[in-house]
Amino acid sequence: MWMIYGANGYTGELIARQAVQDGQRPYLAGRDQAKIRPLAEELNLPWRVFDLSKPDAVVAGLEDIALVLHCAGPFSATSAPMVDACIASSTHYLDITGEIAVFERIAGMDRAAKKAGCLLLPGVGFDVVPSDCLAATLAQSLPDATHLEMAFCGEGGTSPGTLKTMVEMLGEGGRVRLEGEITKVPAGHKQKSVRFSNGEQWCMTIPWGDVSTAYRSTGIPNIEVYTAVPK
């Protein structure tokens, strides 16, 4: 059995509905019964409720679950208790974060995860997967590369969870990777014009998850990530 935690959130609900279309029957879970139960009943799926602030309840909630897809952000606050419970219950962990701190914390738990016999794989959502694939492909073609710049131009809206994360990050400044180390820099400390398929866009550096993940995928020691913004 597997579970979507945070199934009542914007992205969690999309995943739950897609899972049903694909013939899957995950448990739907979250902390609020008034939100989880109606969705589960609509989709004819099993459900359960537990709060991440109660460690014993989280472990109990995962006891018979083989894998949890964690969709309840902001992950800076919710990932750690879920990961700790997954290690305690030997439950495989996936999430849809794009947050550097979460990637780095989970990378540091490799030994504990192996001992528990569980997989910890953050960032399986859209944020870093396509860009990481692109970076890895580029590194294969340029194995001697020492610097990597990545830029993207978003289209469409922003989910409430992503918006909360972005607001939370505003006071933290920027992050880049310099000589293999994640380094704090001023917010938007570099700007440039980048040519995308839809034309030239003005971009600035942001502390995106690829600063963490692309280093592990490519081994390139200097990494900056840009996003298109109004000049």
Side-chain angles (χ1 to χ4, degrees), residues 5-76:
Y5 188 87
N8 59 289
Y10 176 80
T11 304
E13 182 176 339
L14 290 175
I15 294 171
R17 294 185 182 280
Q18 184 64 50
V20 170
Q21 288 185 27
D22 292 343
Q24 298 286 323
R25 289 188 52 78
Y27 266 83
L28 303 188
R31 64 179 182 177
D32 189 341
Q33 178 175 323
K35 295 179 179 179
I36 290 294
R37 182 174 181 176
L39 178 62
E41 291 180 345
E42 177 192 344
L43 298 177
N44 192 29
L45 294 175
W47 60 277
R48 61 184 57 166
V49 172
F50 54 88
D51 195 316
L52 295 178
S53 65
K54 301 175 180 178
D56 291 342
V58 184
V59 174
L62 298 177
E63 187 175 15
D64 57 348
I65 299 297
L67 178 148
V68 60
L69 174 55
H70 183 48
C71 299
F75 296 92
S76 58

Side-chain angles (χ1 to χ4, degrees), residues 69-118:
L69 174 55
H70 183 48
C71 299
F75 296 92
S76 58
T78 66
S79 173
M82 182 63 85
V83 168
D84 292 346
C86 283
I87 288 177
S89 60
S90 296
T91 302
H92 299 308
Y93 171 93
L94 307 176
D95 73 27
I96 55 171
T97 192
E99 300 170 42
I100 293 173
V102 175
F103 287 127
E104 292 298 303
R105 180 182 186 272
I106 291 177
M109 301 183 73
D110 182 64
R111 181 176 297 179
K114 288 176 178 176
K115 185 177 180 180
C118 64

Side-chain angles (χ1 to χ4, degrees), residues 2-231:
W2 68 286
M3 171 185 289
I4 302 171
Y5 188 87
N8 59 289
Y10 176 80
T11 304
E13 182 176 339
L14 290 175
I15 294 171
R17 294 185 182 280
Q18 184 64 50
V20 170
Q21 288 185 27
D22 292 343
Q24 298 286 323
R25 289 188 52 78
Y27 266 83
L28 303 188
R31 64 179 182 177
D32 189 341
Q33 178 175 323
K35 295 179 179 179
I36 290 294
R37 182 174 181 176
L39 178 62
E41 291 180 345
E42 177 192 344
L43 298 177
N44 192 29
L45 294 175
W47 60 277
R48 61 184 57 166
V49 172
F50 54 88
D51 195 316
L52 295 178
S53 65
K54 301 175 180 178
D56 291 342
V58 184
V59 174
L62 298 177
E63 187 175 15
D64 57 348
I65 299 297
L67 178 148
V68 60
L69 174 55
H70 183 48
C71 299
F75 296 92
S76 58
T78 66
S79 173
M82 182 63 85
V83 168
D84 292 346
C86 283
I87 288 177
S89 60
S90 296
T91 302
H92 299 308
Y93 171 93
L94 307 176
D95 73 27
I96 55 171
T97 192
E99 300 170 42
I100 293 173
V102 175
F103 287 127
E104 292 298 303
R105 180 182 186 272
I106 291 177
M109 301 183 73
D110 182 64
R111 181 176 297 179
K114 288 176 178 176
K115 185 177 180 180
C118 64
L119 171 76
L120 304 180
L121 183 60
V124 302
F126 181 78
D127 285 38
V128 299
V129 172
S131 51
D132 213 49
C133 291
L134 183 60
T137 301
L138 181 65
Q140 289 176 0
S141 299
L142 299 170
D144 297 327
T146 59
H147 291 71
L148 172 65
E149 294 181 352
M150 309 178 73
F152 63 89
C153 176
E155 296 181 359
T158 302
S159 72
T162 299
L163 187 59
K164 287 180 182 178
T165 299
M166 292 170 64
V167 171
E168 183 181 78
M169 291 166 56
L170 286 175
E172 297 297 322
R175 296 292 188 279
V176 299
R177 194 175 282 273
L178 293 175
E179 300 303 326
E181 298 295 326
I182 294 176
T183 304
K184 185 174 182 177
V185 295
H189 83 298
K190 287 186 178 180
Q191 306 90 37
K192 62 169 56 182
S193 180
V194 177
R195 179 175 293 178
F196 294 97
S197 60
N198 59 350
E200 293 279 339
Q201 299 281 345
W202 188 252
C203 296
M204 71 175 188
T205 51
I206 59 170
W208 212 242
D210 299 273
V211 173
S212 170
T213 59
Y215 177 67
R216 292 185 169 85
S217 300
T218 68
I220 297 175
N222 300 286
I223 300 173
E224 296 173 347
V225 182
Y226 292 79
T227 188
V229 293
K231 187 173 182 178

